[in-house]
Amino acid sequence: MKPFSYERPATVARALALVADDPGAVYVAGGTNLFDHLKLGIAEPRLLVDVTGLPLNGVETLPSGGLRIGANVRNADLAAHPAVRERYPVVSQALLAGASPQLRNMATLAGNLMQRTRCLHFQNPRTPCNKREPGSGCAALEDRTGHAAVLGASESCVAVHPSDLAVALCAVDAVACVRGRAGSRRIPVTSLHRLPGGHPERDTVLDHGGLITAVELPPLPMAARSRYRKVGDRASFSFALVSVAVALDLDGGTIRDARIAFGGLATKPWRASRAEGALRGAPATAERFAAAAREELSAARTVGANAYKVPLARDTLVATLLDVCGRRTPGC
C-alpha cells in the first residue's frame, strides 16, 4: 500500500475545498469499498478526506410528506428505520439484501451509491480494464463468468453496477442532494450514474469534489406496496445476478401505475420505463407481467456466458409483481 495523507474536516465547506483542490483526494466514510481498492492496488489516493464527522446524519420527514436521509446514515440504521420500513419497504429490503450485517453497520447511504463495480477484471490490475485504466481495453468483452451487463453496455465496458440500494432508490424516484464548489444541485438517482459510452472511468455525473449530502424520498403512496427481490450465487453477501425493485398502484385487478428498476443487468441501476408503460392501465396478470418484461428486455445484448440473465430477469420480475399483488408465482 502506498502512503497517503488523512484529513477529518468539521464542515462540508472544508471537505469540499480539500477534495476539489486536489485531483488525488477522495472522500471516505465507511470505507467498505475504498479500503478493498487500496489493498488490491487499484486505488492510490494522495489524500483521504474522512466525512464521517460532518453533520449529515439522521432521517427527517419533509413538509411534503417525503423523507430526507443524511448521507452518513449507516445502512443498518436506515434498513431498520420505522418510516422507511412502513412507507418504503423496498428500500429496507434492498439494504438487507446487500453485504453482511457487519458491513451494513459500517457502510453509509452515500458511500453505497458511490461504490464502484465488482467486475473481476476491474479488480485485477493484471487484466485490461477501461474503467480502471482508460484506453487499456476491456477483458470482460469475452467474459466467461456470466456476470457481464446485458443493458447499457458499450464496446468500452460491460461491467455491472453493484448497488442493491441504488436500484430501490431509482424505483421510488429518489433524489440525491449534492454540494460542489459551484453550489448545490438536486440529481434524480436515475440520472446519477452514467452509461459507460467511451468514458467508463466516469461512474457518475458528479464532478471531482462533488459530495452527496442527503437523499430525499418523495411522498409516493404506492411505495408502501413495494418489494425487492434479489437472485445471487448464494443467499448472503453476494452481488446480484439479477434483482428487481417494484412498486405498484392497483385499482382492483388493474394497474394504475408502476415503478420498476433492475439490478445486475446493466452498467447502472436500470429504470424499466418500457415495462412500466406496458403495465399502466393493464390487468394485473402473469401473462401481462411477462409481456412487460419482454418489452423491457428486447434491447438486451448478451456477451459470453450471460445469456441466462434475460429469462432470469423476466421470471424474477413476474414473480415479484405477483408477490406485490398478493398472488403466488405460477407453479408454486
Side-chain angles (χ1 to χ4, degrees):
M1 184 180 293
K2 294 189 177 181
F4 53 82
S5 300
Y6 173 86
E7 295 274 359
R8 195 169 190 265
T11 66
V12 171
R14 177 58 178 160
L16 293 174
L18 285 168
V19 177
D21 291 341
D22 186 347
V26 297
Y27 296 118
V28 61
T32 56
N33 189 207
L34 176 61
F35 293 160
D36 283 342
H37 292 173
L38 292 173
K39 289 184 286 186
L40 290 168
I42 61 175
E44 298 180 350
R46 289 194 297 268
L47 172 64
L48 296 188
V49 177
D50 185 344
V51 297
T52 55
L54 302 181
L56 303 176
N57 296 290
V59 180
E60 60 178 308
T61 298
L62 297 170
S64 65
L67 293 179
R68 181 180 175 89
I69 306 163
N72 283 339
V73 173
R74 304 289 176 171
N75 286 0
D77 294 334
L78 184 58
H81 195 281
V84 175
R85 293 177 62 186
E86 178 182 355
R87 294 155 56 186
Y88 307 90
V90 67
V91 174
S92 179
Q93 291 164 15
L95 286 162
L96 293 173
S100 64
Q102 294 90 339
L103 289 175
R104 290 195 295 270
N105 284 335
M106 288 295 296
T108 63
L109 169 64
N112 189 297
L113 291 179
M114 295 299 291
Q115 67 181 300
R116 307 205 70 189
T117 183
R118 275 13 184 240
C119 175
L120 296 177
H121 303 292
F122 173 76
Q123 294 184 318
N124 183 356
R126 295 184 296 275
T127 61
C129 173
N130 289 318
K131 186 177 283 293
R132 188 185 67 249
E133 186 179 348
S136 64
C138 177
L141 284 173
E142 296 301 325
D143 186 65
R144 301 300 173 188
T145 67
H147 292 285
V150 299
L151 294 168
S154 74
E155 289 302 310
S156 297
C157 183
V158 293
V160 173
H161 190 272
S163 174
D164 292 292
L165 174 61
V167 177
L169 293 179
C170 284
V172 297
D173 297 329
V175 175
C177 304
V178 178
R179 285 276 303 276
R181 294 299 296 272
S184 301
R185 58 176 174 152
R186 295 165 55 81
I187 303 172
V189 175
T190 52
S191 301
L192 178 64
H193 300 93
R194 295 180 67 258
L195 295 178
H199 292 280
E201 73 277 9
R202 296 178 55 200
D203 293 341
T204 73
V205 299
L206 300 187
D207 297 327
H208 179 71
L211 179 67
I212 297 175
T213 57
V215 169
E216 292 185 0
L217 307 184
L220 189 68
M222 76 167 72
R225 185 191 290 266
S226 62
R227 298 287 188 281
Y228 185 77
R229 185 181 295 253
K230 177 178 180 178
V231 180
D233 288 324
R234 56 186 184 273
S236 64
F237 198 22
S238 177
F239 295 97
L241 299 175
V242 168
S243 66
V244 64
V246 166
L248 284 182
D249 179 10
L250 294 172
D251 181 10
T254 300
I255 300 170
R256 279 194 295 240
D257 202 0
R259 298 287 190 277
I260 301 169
F262 279 114
L265 294 184
T267 51
K268 60 177 285 185
W270 191 265
R271 181 68 178 263
S273 54
R274 289 186 181 183
E276 292 174 358
L279 289 176
R280 291 188 184 102
T285 64
E287 294 76 18
R288 187 54 64 97
F289 297 160
R294 287 192 294 271
E295 175 72 17
E296 187 65 43
L297 297 167
S298 63
R301 298 293 180 266
T302 59
V303 58
N306 68 351
Y308 73 92
K309 287 197 171 191
V310 175
L312 180 59
R314 179 199 62 219
D315 294 347
T316 303
L317 177 58
V318 171
T320 309
L321 287 165
L322 287 170
D323 186 27
V324 173
C325 294
R327 295 164 55 192
R328 298 179 64 190
T329 303
C332 294

